[in-house]
Each structure stands twice: as C-alpha cells, then as structure tokens.
Amino acid sequence: ALYQNLRLPDLRIQYKDYAVWQNQLLRDGTIEKQKDFWLKTLSGEIPALNLPYDYSRPPLQSFEGNTCKITLPLEIAERLDRLKNDTGSTLFMILLSAFNLLLSR
C-alpha cells in the first residue's frame, strides 16, 4: 500500500491494549506459572553440546591469531585514499565493502 501511495488502515489494537493485556496476565498469575514452568524445565545441569569438528582441539584454549600482510601498488592506494576522502568513510569501511561484494558474487 505504501509503494502505491495508499493510506494504511488504522491499527486494530494500540500499545495501551497490549499493556492492559500484560497487566492482566500479571494479576491473574499466568506469567508466574509460565516462569515457574521454565525455571523447572531449564533447571539442573546443562548438557554439553558435542559437535563434530574438523581438527582436534588443543588441551589449552588459545586466542592466538595470524596476520597476512600485502603491499598495494601506489596507484591503487592513491585511488582508495581518494575514494575514502570523497565518500567521507574510512579505509576499513571501503575494504570491508569490497570484501562483502567479493563474497556476494
């Protein structure tokens, strides 16, 4: 309707109706019953989720990473810098956008 520039119909319910409904659930104890149910259902030990993985895990978790350094030709670096200045963005934003475009193809 909005794409065709038509008026949307008025909403049947407003937020105040939802608030009244929620307050009624609080007063009659329905929320408390639901809370008790889920607390009982989810109580106890959480089972371990053993998913298969590609390689064995090391005995001690490590957060070491790696880097990959490249050197851009001067012309490309200048064009990226010009694009950065023209669009008011950062080099990170431009390279991330380019990477997303590459992945979307």
Side-chain angles (χ1 to χ4, degrees), residues 81-92:
D81 196 46
R82 209 170 329 134
L83 180 62
K84 173 181 70 118
N85 293 334
D86 291 347
T87 59
S89 57
T90 65
L91 184 59
F92 175 78

Side-chain angles (χ1 to χ4, degrees), residues 4-97:
Q4 297 171 356
N5 204 21
L6 300 174
R7 188 175 186 283
L8 293 176
D10 292 334
L11 297 174
R12 293 185 306 113
I13 60 173
Q14 300 291 321
Y15 179 76
K16 61 184 177 184
D17 300 319
Y18 173 77
V20 168
W21 175 67
Q22 284 289 306
N23 286 332
Q24 179 62 37
L25 290 175
L26 281 170
R27 273 194 300 281
D28 68 14
T30 303
I31 298 272
E32 201 60 38
K33 289 177 193 170
Q34 291 176 359
K35 178 183 163 188
D36 292 339
F37 168 79
W38 285 110
L39 285 174
K40 182 181 172 191
T41 302
L42 299 174
S43 67
E45 188 66 29
I46 297 174
L49 184 60
N50 293 319
L51 296 175
Y53 35 81
D54 294 341
Y55 52 90
S56 61
R57 299 179 107 179
L60 210 63
Q61 186 175 7
S62 167
F63 294 99
E64 291 180 25
N66 201 349
T67 58
C68 176
K69 294 184 181 187
I70 61 167
T71 304
L72 291 175
L74 184 60
E75 180 189 341
I76 293 177
E78 288 173 346
R79 290 177 69 185
L80 286 172
D81 196 46
R82 209 170 329 134
L83 180 62
K84 173 181 70 118
N85 293 334
D86 291 347
T87 59
S89 57
T90 65
L91 184 59
F92 175 78
M93 294 165 62
I94 292 171
L95 294 177
L96 183 62
S97 298

